[in-house]
Amino acid sequence: MKIIPLGIWGGYPKANSATSSFLIEHDGFHCLVDCGSGVLAALQNHITLEQLDAVMISHYHADHIADIGSLQYSRLIQYYLGQPSPVLPIYGHAQDEEQFSKLTYKEQTRGVEISEDQSVQIGPFTVTFCPTVHPVYCLAMKFTVADKSVVFTADTEWSDQLVSFTQQTNLLFSEANLYEEHIGKSPGHLGGSQAGKLAHDARVGQLVLTHLPHHGNIQDILYAAKTVFSGPTELAEVGKLYTL
Ligand SMILES: [Zn+2]
């Protein structure tokens, strides 16, 4: 299993970058995890858009779905050019029916419903879900192949349920959108120390911090996580290859 961060920012991208998202690949099957602003441009540093086999959406905030429309246009344009691709499945929850309906587009993409209590098989990946604590309904995701797994928290506040869900995963991509002084003051997100506590309590193999803020010194968030979790910990780096 290979995972590449495509973007690391919360809310909106910095210049020439993207909001938090990932490309995950195994046996030639490529799945995009979240599709926010700038993600399509970043994705094409690694594969062509036609090579994409599936998309997984955690929730419907703009920094996780902003590029879905452009992805749908890319399939439609290739269709008009006489090079149609198979219908692209986009997995998302249906708690927000209007947003879920937008995942289906002109026989180019098809929305596929996911729910917190049902695992799905996506190519070689078994994917399970855990609801997070966020202003809108959002699902954390665990991708498993054989005895290896990776968890993406998506957006969340502290959640004991997430500790159980993340238990002993090999690799945890945790959001860490807050500086310590902002914990509890900005709903729906974690601070670095809380991401570290999640990694510690769940006894994960490695912690990578993402969905980072635009202000301040993000090294402070890394430092806060490392004070709680003693395992390998780093800030997500765009384009870096993680192999499990
Ligand atoms: Zn969000």
Side-chain angles (χ1 to χ4, degrees):
M1 197 165 16
K2 295 175 181 167
I3 304 106
I4 298 175
L6 299 175
I8 65 168
W9 302 111
Y12 63 97
K14 280 194 174 179
N16 304 311
S17 61
T19 56
S20 184
S21 72
F22 305 88
L23 175 63
I24 181 166
E25 183 269 336
H26 186 71
D27 278 350
F29 187 97
H30 298 94
C31 181
L32 181 63
V33 179
D34 282 335
C35 189
S37 185
V39 169
L40 276 204
L43 178 62
Q44 291 171 87
N45 289 318
H46 304 283
I47 60 172
T48 67
L49 297 180
E50 295 75 46
Q51 284 178 287
L52 200 56
D53 297 296
V55 180
M56 175 66 72
I57 298 295
S58 61
H59 67 304
Y60 299 110
H61 276 157
D63 50 337
H64 296 257
I65 58 168
D67 272 7
I68 288 284
S70 294
L71 174 61
Q72 291 167 330
Y73 286 165
S74 78
R75 306 297 268 210
L76 187 62
I77 288 166
Q78 290 302 313
Y79 172 78
Y80 286 146
L81 292 174
Q83 298 162 337
S85 297
V87 176
L88 180 69
I90 304 180
Y91 295 81
H93 70 71
Q95 301 272 329
D96 183 331
E97 290 179 19
E98 183 187 355
Q99 291 286 359
F100 177 74
S101 71
K102 293 178 183 174
L103 302 182
T104 298
Y105 179 74
K106 292 184 184 286
E107 300 180 13
Q108 301 303 318
T109 65
R110 177 172 52 90
V112 182
E113 184 177 349
I114 55 174
S115 63
E116 61 189 62
D117 49 8
Q118 253 183 341
S119 70
V120 290
Q121 192 70 32
I122 303 176
F125 305 107
T126 302
V127 189
T128 52
F129 307 97
C130 178
T132 73
V133 181
H134 199 56
V136 300
Y137 186 77
C138 175
L139 292 171
M141 300 154 273
K142 182 191 290 173
F143 284 67
T144 303
V145 173
D147 62 345
K148 302 288 186 190
S149 71
V150 54
V151 168
F152 304 95
T153 64
D155 290 10
T156 190
E157 283 181 35
W158 178 259
S159 157
D160 289 336
Q161 195 179 351
L162 207 49
V163 176
S164 312
F165 179 73
T166 305
Q167 205 58 229
Q168 290 187 299
T169 193
N170 301 98
L171 179 57
L172 169 62
F173 287 95
S174 177
E175 80 126 283
N177 196 236
L178 303 178
Y179 291 97
E180 294 302 291
E181 59 269 32
H182 298 139
I183 292 174
K185 296 176 185 165
S186 180
H189 294 289
L190 294 173
S193 65
Q194 293 176 306
K197 180 172 167 52
L198 174 59
H200 172 271
D201 291 359
R203 295 179 291 162
V204 309
Q206 183 177 4
L207 171 63
V208 182
L209 305 171
T210 185
H211 206 284
L212 299 165
H214 296 270
H215 58 286
N217 180 359
I218 56 176
Q219 294 297 328
D220 291 348
I221 290 179
L222 176 62
Y223 178 77
K226 283 183 166 179
T227 59
V228 182
F229 179 59
S230 58
T233 307
E234 62 193 61
L235 298 174
E237 185 181 328
V238 173
K240 180 171 178 175
L241 176 63
Y242 295 85
T243 303
L244 292 176

